[in-house]
Amino acid sequence: MSIQFSVPDMSCGHCVSTITQAVQQAVPGARVTADLSARRVTVENASEADVVRAAIVQAGYDAQPVA
């Protein structure tokens, strides 16, 4: 399953690294890809959008699911 989030404050490689690490700690085995220009994060192999969103928020970034 793939879940996509809009992360408006993600603006650099450090942001991507921080978000990736936070999501992978919350959902071991998740594959995280980020599109800086679109400010979107896609997480594969995650079934709980709320868990992923909480990890991103806890890392310091606002995140809204993209339908």
Side-chain angles (χ1 to χ4, degrees), residues 24-39:
Q24 288 176 335
Q25 284 181 343
V27 184
R31 190 164 62 106
V32 182
T33 54
D35 181 344
L36 274 175
S37 61
R39 295 202 162 105

Side-chain angles (χ1 to χ4, degrees), residues 46-67:
S47 59
E48 297 289 330
D50 291 342
V51 172
V52 174
R53 183 180 181 280
I56 296 171
V57 169
Q58 190 171 16
Y61 300 88
D62 183 35
Q64 297 302 320
V66 175

Side-chain angles (χ1 to χ4, degrees), residues 2-63:
S2 179
I3 307 168
Q4 192 172 71
F5 294 89
S6 171
V7 185
D9 295 333
M10 182 177 68
S11 61
C12 67
H14 180 267
C15 299
V16 171
S17 177
T18 300
I19 291 168
T20 299
Q21 289 177 14
V23 171
Q24 288 176 335
Q25 284 181 343
V27 184
R31 190 164 62 106
V32 182
T33 54
D35 181 344
L36 274 175
S37 61
R39 295 202 162 105
R40 299 246 170 134
V41 172
T42 302
V43 181
E44 293 184 36
N45 300 329
S47 59
E48 297 289 330
D50 291 342
V51 172
V52 174
R53 183 180 181 280
I56 296 171
V57 169
Q58 190 171 16
Y61 300 88
D62 183 35

